[in-house]
Amino acid sequence: MLTSLRPRRLAVAVVATVGAMCMAVLPAAATQQSPPAKAAAHPAVANSTAGATTPFAVYEAEAGTPAGGAAVRSLTSAPTTQYSSAALEASGHSYVHLDGTGQSVQWTNTTGRPISFLDVRASIPDSASGGGTTATLNLYVNGVFRQALNLNSLQSWVYEGNGNYNTSDDQNPADGDPRVFWDESHTFVTGSPIPAGATFSLRKDSANSASFYDIDSVDVENPPAPQAQPANSISITSCGAVADNTPTNGAADSQSVDSRAAIQNCIDQAEQQGRILWIPQGTFYVKGTAGLTAQGITIAGAGLWYSTVYRDVPVPNSTPLAALFDLTSCTVRDFHIDANAVSRSTIGGDGGAMDTTGTDWLADGIWTQHTMSGFWASGTGGTVKNSRLTSVWADGINVNNVSLGADSGNDLTVTNNFVRGTGDDAIAINSVNYNTNGDGSKTYYNPMTNVTVSDNTSIAPWGGKGIGIYGGSGHLVRDNYVADTARYIGLGAGRFGVNGSDLLSATVTGNTVVRSGGNAYSQGQPALHIGNGGDGQNVGTVDKVTVTGNTVTDSLYDGIGFSTSTNTLLQDNTVNSPGRNGISISPPFYPAPTGSATITGNTVTGLAPGTSAFVNNSTGFTATSSDNHWPPPAPEGPYGGTPAAVPGTVQAEDYDTGGQGVAYNVTSVNGNANSYRADGVDLDNTSDTGGGYNLGWTGPGQWFRYTVDVATAGTYALDLRIAAPTAVTGALHLSDATGTNLTGAVDLPATGDWQTWSTVTTRVTLPAGRQVLTLDQDTGGWNINSLAFAASSDTPSTDLAAGRPTGESSHNDVYPSSNVTDGNQNTYWESANNAFPQWVQIDLGSARSASRAVLQLPATWGARTQTLTLGGSTDGTAFTTLKSSAAYTFDPSTGNTVTLTFPATAQRYYRVTVTANNGWPAAQVSTFQIWAA
């Protein structure tokens, strides 16, 4: 699913219940007027100390008061498709929808300080042909109109339908399946600040032209005054840079001045003179495809609310873009970066904000929006802190060992940053082993070491993880708050694809992961994941990951998932209200054929019916478990609590509860219809009549159990609803609780496709009462939708052999074995002459109970005696003697008929072996009948 690294622009990663989020934690600015505070988060984790300490608060729309008919819209269950929705991409997975005049959402300023600056995360409609629209939305303070806020959808609304899944270049609404619903617009409050205790609201009035306004959240703060130009600095205006104060609102001002050359000139002077580069108040444009390069200097602004460098690339663009800033051993602080990019690739004008390398570099108080990545940084001893990254097309903060031609990434720190709405990982430790060059050669890099990611807030990435740890050793990921991933893993510790470095040690501690995981690629991804394969390739080593004291709440699917990894310590973690299982080894699409972990002191609460605190779907992964606090595993029982009735239909997806090794045994977990069953084993959406789900991914040695109530003892016709691209010999059999094979091996015909369905009929004899039947998979390559049991029409007058397939040792001329079941006494099988013994057999398709065989020759033939034996077999290989060898006379006076009786037995194959015939030097049979017992 992922491409090779540098540039790493794609990531793979995916809510259950939602709730009001009052004041979420946000990042600190370089200077602040009021003391910072750790704000309360989701109620389930209100006491969490994880996340960034910030001078501003987030008011979630769903925590406000809707009025005038405005409606709260929330994600109320796990998504059943791989596609996005506005609720899925919203923070808190909930928002307020305004679509009528007079509708509004209101909050009260409970920050204890004035509000003079707002950042609104909202969505308005795309244009009919794509490319976005602009509109205003009115702000009211204490019920009085204050100002119109500018909103736009110019840098949102891309489409994944028509074969465009997981891309962000398609702006054609006709393709359907939209994503990237949210964007952010910020402004100072006109007039006096909103006082503490006052109400403020966003309201759709008649002048607000968009057909709807979806409000996700509002960030509120009271920024300090602009900073003054520092001593020993050069202002970019002294080199000819010109500010443009026309609001961008999603697009560049066509009348703006290109200040790129002037800014680069000032950078060069600052490097030569050892001075600071100063970016004063205003928006300064860098036009075209070239960026800015600096080495060994400090670049400072008047504050991230005041000083902006805006990248304006002609779109559509065909020239590959470097970052806006290429920085080596620099300090950057206190300014804002924005861009006009409309997608995350070259054609959309998307380049990174800052590519950084060198030693002891620093980024402090930078606000980045609408660029490819925020920070793409390597080197030694660098730090990103106190920064905001919102509505970024790809990675927010990616520390790595490849940026700007480096080969190392050691002792890097990412701390106290706020990241929201990224199209790739919000924060990533990205250790690359090698990259493949254009000529096929490979460039290798040093594995990353000792990276610290601490006290950050990562919210609502729409296309990646909240935090990804990809390879290296010695990393510390501590006290971060991750929430509301739209599709992918919330926090993952593993390796990035085939060219990533192995992960040889890391500590993941004190983090809070809320409403995370997702259904990208229909995979049902866990909220917290340890192991390889988290990004598309199940390769490489993940070893010695220590995961302690983390809290995982309201995961969409499994709370904590393991794929292949060794020597993991999972200790003292808490999983609250998981959408599926609490802790799962080898969950769907994350195989763990081998591995080891110590699992101790963990707590799982709030399990849903049919889910488990701990499941191990792998026979090769050794999990040592002790002193954990969770309910005992559920015993085997009928799915839904009530056994299926026989006669009646048993749906294949309704196998018993109890988990791996109890209710089922699978060698891998692959199902993509994970919303139906908590274990998410091997279920697939079916196209068969009636819809629902079928059981797939069959393989030798796998089995599924079904508890049934049989009304009456007897033989039942068993109709198996199956699909198989090609014919499968010995596909399955049904057994009882003692392991007795009830059907014999059942062959399946080719239906032509995995979702082209047909019915195969066999027979099964059952006692009355409650019992457990096991569907054993003997050979893979088929799907099954249902097992229908009906009272059998078999009676002693039923010829079970009529029309059934036959086999033979040989045949002479035009006398094949198929003649013995065609119902015509005048056609016959004759073996090769002068070569005894010879045999002919019938395949009933499944084991059928019988006690009588009837053999005939043509009625007009003269009498003859044949010496023969009758045998039976369930598998066509090992035969049991039903009638010992004896001479039998076929006499025309009795219709040339011989009847063989034997004790009732259930066999699939019945075979007559002839060793002598006094009437012709070959074996001869015209009719071979098997009569039901």
Side-chain angles (χ1 to χ4, degrees), residues 71-123:
V72 174
R73 293 186 175 179
S74 303
L75 189 72
T76 57
S77 62
T80 57
T81 76
Q82 62 184 344
Y83 294 99
S84 287
S85 67
L88 192 61
E89 293 185 5
S91 61
H93 293 298
S94 193
Y95 62 94
V96 170
H97 179 75
L98 315 178
D99 62 6
T101 299
Q103 294 184 357
S104 66
V105 57
Q106 178 178 287
W107 305 266
T108 299
N109 178 7
T110 58
T111 64
R113 56 188 184 269
I115 296 171
S116 60
F117 187 88
L118 303 176
D119 181 69
V120 178
R121 191 169 197 247
S123 175

Side-chain angles (χ1 to χ4, degrees), residues 45 48 50 453 467 469 476-482 491-493 506-514 527-530 545-553 559-560 568-576 583 600-604:
V45 289
S48 172
V453 175
I467 297 176
I469 308 166
L476 174 63
V477 176
R478 173 180 56 81
D479 295 338
N480 301 282
Y481 181 84
V482 176
L491 196 164
T507 298
V508 179
T509 185
N511 302 283
T512 296
V513 183
V514 182
L528 193 157
H529 171 255
I530 306 106
V545 178
T546 297
V547 182
T548 62
N550 302 283
T551 300
V552 180
T553 298
I560 299 174
T568 301
L569 174 61
L570 188 75
Q571 183 174 10
D572 298 334
N573 301 281
T574 299
V575 178
N576 299 313
I583 299 169
T600 183
N602 301 284
T603 299
V604 177

Side-chain angles (χ1 to χ4, degrees), residues 684-760:
D684 190 18
N685 292 291
T686 186
S687 65
D688 197 10
T689 302
Y693 308 95
N694 63 260
L695 193 63
W697 290 276
T698 50
Q702 297 193 152
W703 46 261
F704 290 82
R705 288 179 174 151
Y706 301 85
T707 298
V708 299
D709 269 340
V710 179
T712 305
T715 299
Y716 291 85
L718 174 58
D719 288 344
L720 304 172
R721 192 69 176 158
I722 62 94
T726 59
V728 184
T729 301
L732 60 92
H733 71 277
L734 200 67
S735 58
D736 63 16
T738 68
T740 300
N741 187 330
L742 301 177
T743 60
V746 177
D747 297 336
L748 304 180
T751 67
D753 188 75
W754 295 108
Q755 289 295 326
T756 300
W757 295 91
S758 183
T759 300
V760 170

Side-chain angles (χ1 to χ4, degrees), residues 861-887:
W861 284 13
R864 67 200 64 200
T865 298
Q866 300 190 72
T867 302
L868 55 88
T869 302
L870 178 66
S873 173
T874 59
D875 60 8
T877 300
F879 280 82
T880 298
T881 299
L882 304 179
K883 292 291 284 187
S884 298
S885 178

